[in-house]
Amino acid sequence: MAAVKRKDPALYTLTAGSIAGAIEATITYPTEFVKTQLQLQDGTKGAARKGVPAPKGPIDILVTTVRTQGVSAVYRGLSAMVIGNTAKAGVRFFAFDQFKDLLKDSEGKTTGARSVLAGLGAGMTEALLVVTPSETIKTKLIHDGNLAKPQYKGLVHGVQSIVKAEGLGGIYRGVVPVMARQGANSAVRFGVYSTLNDFVKSRLEPGSKMPATYTFGIGAIAGIITVYTTMPLDVVKTKMQGLNARQLYSGVFDCGWKVFKNEGVLSFWSGATPRLARLSMSGGIVFSIYESTMTVLRRIDDDSNPIRT
């Protein structure tokens, strides 16, 4: 008897990635909130002398926010992040899998360099389809919460207000730096992860399963390397998505130049500490949950569709 046809594995990739993204966003969101607050501060040289509060550090921002606004305040914008991260991670893993298949060599293998290219393609795909609108909305919601009289009453009202004031282009603010950042993020993360994953697997006993702690550790290392190599793109992206970006910057390069001129080169790594905390955890959480979910889905498929000869 012919073997039962299996489900499209691409569906597994999309599902596992989406689940991993939703869980990761919920767990790590406070670090994303603090990172965004750091990047939205006025870091202009001499700002404090002009009556503008001096830039604060990540711990001070977190403690002050909780003390003055309550714990729930550090989850402002979470709904946009979870929705966006769920779709983003699903698209990312799905797109990476598709690009990787296209880039396989004649022996059906994907080299480290080709994994980087596949990651670049996946990152730019997710940026265009999901990340730019979700990140723009999240950033504006966080920025709005800093105002004496916030204008957005929640996610839905915020989106409606942004679109009404700026059109659909308002939720695609900063699309160029987002595509650059996500492309670089995924290229570095998937490149490092694939290389380390293959290296570790080659050292394991044939047929043995990689421990979850190994997967988490490899993902965390990939996240750490990703932070420092792509941080400048993340800073420009956040600046371009702030409430007053249209008045401050004429474009991506103008934004980058003004940040450099007014705030100094180190400002391009503003928010690196909370982003490091998030992406190191994120890398470990996402890849661990993704691999575990894929294992469960394959087992369910094996049980429901036994192969018969």
Side-chain angles (χ1 to χ4, degrees):
M1 184 180 292
V4 177
K5 184 178 180 180
R6 301 288 181 172
K7 294 179 181 178
D8 185 357
L11 178 61
Y12 293 174
T13 304
L14 188 62
T15 301
S18 298
I19 292 173
I23 295 174
E24 179 270 324
T26 303
I27 293 174
T28 65
Y29 189 75
T31 62
E32 178 68 17
F33 174 86
V34 172
K35 181 217 73 170
T36 303
Q37 291 282 31
L38 282 169
Q39 293 175 341
L40 288 172
Q41 287 184 125
D42 184 353
T44 304
K45 295 173 182 176
R49 293 194 297 271
K50 301 174 184 177
V52 178
K56 301 176 181 178
I59 301 300
D60 187 34
I61 286 177
L62 185 62
V63 171
T64 300
T65 301
V66 172
R67 187 178 68 245
T68 59
Q69 302 176 50
V71 175
S72 62
V74 299
Y75 285 93
R76 189 185 302 122
L78 173 64
S79 52
M81 185 72 174
V82 170
I83 293 171
N85 224 49
T86 300
K88 175 178 72 175
V91 170
R92 175 193 301 158
F93 280 98
F94 174 80
F96 177 72
D97 196 51
Q98 301 305 305
F99 280 116
K100 191 169 69 170
D101 283 342
L102 290 173
L103 293 169
K104 285 180 178 178
D105 58 23
S106 57
E107 297 180 357
K109 298 179 180 180
T110 306
T111 62
R114 296 189 182 202
S115 291
V116 170
L117 286 176
L120 178 64
M124 296 186 77
T125 299
E126 65 174 292
L128 188 61
L129 297 179
V130 180
V131 180
T132 302
S134 67
E135 291 257 338
T136 300
I137 293 165
K138 176 216 66 175
T139 300
K140 287 183 183 295
L141 286 173
I142 291 176
H143 201 178
D144 179 67
N146 296 336
L147 302 178
K149 294 182 179 181
Q151 57 183 315
Y152 305 144
K153 300 175 182 178
L155 175 62
V156 176
H157 180 257
V159 173
Q160 290 175 338
S161 299
I162 293 168
V163 173
K164 183 178 180 180
E166 305 179 42
L168 287 176
I171 60 174
Y172 265 87
R173 186 74 54 194
V175 64
V176 174
V178 171
M179 289 186 70
R181 186 200 68 171
Q182 291 306 118
N185 271 0
S186 291
V188 174
R189 182 180 285 193
F190 277 115
V192 172
Y193 181 81
S194 296
T195 300
L196 292 178
N197 194 50
D198 291 343
F199 175 79
V200 172
K201 282 183 176 179
S202 69
R203 298 309 192 266
L204 297 176
E205 292 293 329
S208 61
K209 183 181 177 182
M210 183 183 292
T213 52
Y214 285 25
T215 302
F216 187 94
I218 293 171
I221 292 172
I224 292 170
I225 294 174
T226 300
V227 168
Y228 288 105
T229 54
T230 64
M231 199 67 213
L233 296 170
D234 189 73
V235 169
V236 172
K237 181 274 305 179
T238 300
K239 298 282 191 184
M240 289 291 294
Q241 293 175 331
L243 292 175
N244 52 358
R246 286 195 300 175
Q247 290 74 43
L248 293 175
Y249 314 116
S250 61
V252 176
F253 293 107
D254 179 58
C255 176
W257 170 248
K258 286 181 177 176
V259 170
F260 172 75
K261 183 176 68 173
N262 298 327
E263 304 179 36
V265 68
L266 292 181
S267 65
F268 285 111
W269 278 267
S270 177
T273 300
R275 188 172 181 236
L276 176 62
R278 177 171 181 251
L279 284 194
S280 57
M281 287 191 296
S282 166
I285 293 169
V286 165
F287 283 113
S288 296
I289 294 176
Y290 174 79
E291 297 289 357
S292 298
T293 304
M294 287 294 286
T295 298
V296 171
L297 291 173
R298 290 176 188 132
R299 186 177 299 133
I300 292 174
D301 192 33
D302 287 340
D303 291 342
S304 61
N305 297 294
I307 299 176
R308 300 182 183 183
T309 56

